[in-house]
């Protein structure tokens, strides 16, 4: 059974930065595309960034140029570096595989507020 554990969220001012981590039990992060999702209050969960096994990354337009997804296949981990954060980025952030989805973790709260 694959387990996803997200961490690194917190409260940050607009323009600040956070780095989210996703620890993956099992081996899916070594073989499949992984992604970061977020769910803002009152909104549906959306995929904001994904990264293939060969580290090709895609981003939703709203985070392009500000967020960077990366992966460490040896450590079975996925990261999301978030810079120039905006209040609109406030959400619970989750990791999962878009191509081989497993049970959702608890997510990590990111709050961008002055």
């Amino acid at each position: 059974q694959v387990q996803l554990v997200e961490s690194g969220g917190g409260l940050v001012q607009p323009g600040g930065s956070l780095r989210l981590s996703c620890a993956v039990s099992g081996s899916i992060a070594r073989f499949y595309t992984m992604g970061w999702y977020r769910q803002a209050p009152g909104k549906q969960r959306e995929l904001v960034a994904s990264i293939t096994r060969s580290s090709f990354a895609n981003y939703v337009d709203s985070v392009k140029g500000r967020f960077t997804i990366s992966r460490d296949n040896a450590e079975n981990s996925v990261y999301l570096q978030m810079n120039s954060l905006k209040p609109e980025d406030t959400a619970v952030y989750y990791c999962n595989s878009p191509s081989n989805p497993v049970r959702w973790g608890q997510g990590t709260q990111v709050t961008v507020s002055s």
Side-chain angles (χ1 to χ4, degrees):
Q1 258 284 337
V2 175
Q3 184 176 227
L4 305 170
V5 181
E6 300 93 346
S7 62
L11 175 64
V12 65
Q13 292 188 51
S17 297
L18 286 171
R19 189 181 191 228
L20 308 184
S21 298
C22 172
V24 186
S25 67
S27 61
I28 63 163
R30 300 166 65 185
F31 296 102
Y32 300 107
T33 295
M34 295 295 295
W36 282 96
Y37 300 74
R38 68 185 181 190
Q39 188 164 24
K43 306 294 184 182
Q44 287 200 126
R45 181 156 35 209
E46 65 170 338
L47 178 66
V48 298
S50 64
I51 185 166
T52 69
R53 185 177 65 175
S54 59
S55 296
F56 184 85
N58 284 323
Y59 304 91
V60 69
D61 285 345
S62 60
V63 310
K64 197 170 297 181
R66 300 187 297 119
F67 291 9
T68 303
I69 187 170
S70 61
R71 67 193 301 163
D72 185 336
N73 293 343
E75 303 243 336
N76 218 24
S77 299
V78 188
Y79 306 94
L80 186 68
Q81 178 67 46
M82 305 185 294
N83 298 325
S84 302
L85 283 162
K86 304 175 179 180
E88 310 91 86
D89 297 318
T90 295
V92 178
Y93 284 72
Y94 304 86
C95 61
N96 213 326
S97 174
S99 58
N100 189 37
V102 298
R103 185 163 63 92
W104 297 98
Q106 291 296 111
T108 186
Q109 176 71 49
V110 171
T111 302
V112 185
S113 176
S114 58

